[in-house]
């Protein structure tokens, strides 16, 4: 879905800005608000997909020591336009264009009790003149995942994300989460971004943690 951070309601933020905001409700705070297109959840507004993407990377997700099963394991890839000021829609109130971003689904297949795999295409989005001001140039920003125990309303959303440069190099990104947040935190629909290391938790919680690791173990195919 193509989105511009300029108007009023349907923003998906850049993960780079979102990750430090541990207390937010995902995709709804800690950023400017707005979206250019009034598109439904399964529509993408103006944005188009590249019909022949070739730069494929495998996304591997591994869960370790989970306190229970996860009925919902969803992958995603984040793409941002890097020249929005030259190609985006100008917002009359500011005289500038808003950010343009798209979060696309990455279908994950379960290959074992605790491992899932999918494919991310680096050039999935179609560079195009969407607003009559020049060609918008998309860039892959990173890959992420969201896990929920059963998928019921109010359950904790366990979120993880790996930046594009680390993903392409084959680095791993591991986040640790407290068992006490599973399946549901005291706050409904809590967005749990975890901690980089067990030391980020109180000592009394460090023996009751689980982790989610994201990695792209293979070089891209062309």
């Amino acid at each position: 879905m193509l989105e511009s951070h300029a108007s009023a309601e349907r923003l998906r933020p850049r993960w780079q800005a979102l990750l430090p905001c541990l207390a937010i409700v995902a995709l709804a705070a800690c950023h400017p608000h707005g979206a250019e297109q009034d598109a439904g959840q399964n529509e993408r507004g103006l944005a188009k997909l590249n019909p022949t993407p070739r730069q494929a990377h495998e996304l591997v997700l591994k869960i370790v020591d989970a306190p229970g099963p996860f009925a919902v394991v969803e992958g995603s890839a984040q793409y941002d336009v890097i020249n929005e000021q030259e190609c985006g829609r100008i917002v009359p109130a500011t005289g500038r264009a808003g950010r343009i971003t798209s979060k696309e689904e990455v279908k994950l297949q379960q290959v074992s009790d605790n491992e899932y795999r999918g494919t991310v295409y680096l050039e999935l989005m179609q560079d195009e003149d969407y607003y009559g001001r020049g060609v918008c140039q998309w860039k892959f920003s990173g890959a992420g995942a969201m896990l929920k125990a059963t998928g019921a309303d109010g359950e904790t959303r366990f979120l993880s994300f790996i930046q594009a440069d680390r993903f392409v190099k084959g680095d791993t990104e591991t986040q640790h989460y407290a068992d006490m947040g599973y399946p549901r935190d005291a706050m409904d629909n809590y967005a749990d971004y975890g901690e980089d290391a067990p030391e980020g938790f109180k000592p009394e919680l460090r023996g009751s943690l689980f982790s989610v690791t994201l990695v792209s173990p293979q070089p891209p195919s062309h």
Side-chain angles (χ1 to χ4, degrees):
M1 170 184 273
L2 176 68
E3 300 181 0
S4 175
H5 299 204
S7 28
E9 283 184 344
R10 301 182 52 82
L11 174 71
R12 295 185 199 273
R14 294 190 183 192
W15 278 90
Q16 293 92 326
L18 183 152
L19 283 175
C21 306
L22 299 180
I24 70 170
V25 176
L27 310 182
C30 194
H31 51 71
H33 292 281
E36 189 139 85
Q37 297 302 308
D38 183 15
Q41 184 175 2
N42 295 321
E43 299 174 5
R44 67 180 63 261
L46 294 178
K48 298 179 182 179
L49 298 184
N50 180 354
T52 56
R54 296 183 179 181
Q55 297 183 52
H57 280 255
E58 185 176 39
L59 171 63
V60 177
L61 181 152
K62 296 181 180 180
I63 307 167
V64 177
D65 294 333
F70 288 101
V72 176
V73 180
E74 297 178 349
S76 62
Q78 183 79 22
Y79 302 87
D80 294 298
V81 168
I82 60 175
N83 64 328
E84 65 267 18
Q85 295 307 320
E86 289 74 39
C87 75
R89 182 179 69 86
I90 297 298
V91 181
T94 64
R96 295 175 58 82
R99 292 175 179 172
I100 304 172
T101 184
S102 188
K103 180 183 176 185
E104 299 294 330
E105 177 187 8
V106 176
K107 293 183 179 180
L108 297 176
Q109 298 292 326
Q110 187 170 6
V111 296
S112 70
D113 289 344
N114 65 345
E115 184 173 320
Y116 297 76
R117 292 177 178 249
T119 301
V120 171
Y121 289 96
L122 303 190
E123 81 292 37
L124 181 65
M125 307 306 296
Q126 180 70 53
D127 290 351
E128 190 164 308
D129 186 350
Y130 290 103
Y131 301 100
R133 299 187 60 238
V135 175
C136 287
Q137 300 170 1
W138 291 94
K139 185 176 181 180
F140 171 65
S141 298
M146 188 274 287
L147 286 66
K148 292 181 71 173
T150 70
D153 290 343
E155 287 184 339
T156 301
R157 290 166 293 131
F158 297 98
L159 302 168
S160 57
F161 188 80
I162 181 169
Q163 298 286 347
D165 55 346
R166 302 186 68 245
F167 179 77
V168 171
K169 289 190 298 183
D171 292 344
T172 60
E173 180 70 30
T174 298
Q175 294 299 115
H176 301 266
Y177 308 87
D179 290 355
M180 62 185 296
Y182 176 96
R184 175 186 299 261
D185 193 84
M187 181 187 298
D188 280 351
N189 298 309
Y190 180 65
D192 190 344
Y193 293 93
E195 296 287 344
D196 293 337
E199 289 72 22
F201 294 89
K202 295 179 180 179
E204 59 268 29
L205 296 179
R206 293 173 190 170
S208 299
L209 303 177
F210 71 96
S211 67
V212 174
T213 296
L214 300 177
V215 65
S216 179
Q218 300 295 329
S221 58
H222 297 283

